Amino acid sequence: MPWNDGHMGGWGYATMIVGMLLFWGLLIAGIVFLVRYAVSGRHGGAEGSVASPERILAERFARGEIDKSEYESRLAVIRGGAAR
């Protein structure tokens, strides 16, 4: 049933504008999210799951699995120096 002689009223235009802004905002936000997700490498790929040997060694030392002398000697080997 047409109201206002078949023309859209002020609230109709406001609803249409808000709807379009929401649509485009969500579309752009979704694209930005997908690009960041693809570029960040935090999506479970092989590159993001590899830890450096120094970091693994430091974590073992922090957990108490190895003592200070063993940590220092292994760190020297990793860095290419001679073990003490």
Side-chain angles (χ1 to χ4, degrees):
M1 180 185 291
W3 287 284
N4 293 332
D5 204 19
H7 299 286
M8 199 174 353
W11 286 109
Y13 285 113
T15 304
M16 182 178 65
I17 291 170
V18 169
M20 286 301 291
L21 289 174
L22 256 141
F23 170 76
W24 286 108
L26 287 173
L27 184 69
I28 292 170
I31 291 170
V32 168
F33 173 76
L34 287 175
V35 168
R36 283 187 175 182
Y37 180 74
V39 171
S40 71
R42 286 186 278 169
H43 48 83
E47 295 173 9
S49 64
V50 177
S52 71
E54 289 183 16
R55 182 178 179 137
I56 294 171
L57 187 62
E59 289 174 359
R60 289 188 63 199
F61 179 63
R63 286 192 300 261
E65 294 177 12
I66 56 176
D67 61 356
K68 184 178 179 181
S69 63
E70 187 175 357
Y71 171 75
E72 290 173 349
S73 67
R74 289 184 183 210
L75 187 60
V77 170
I78 289 172
R79 291 184 175 166
R84 293 185 216 182

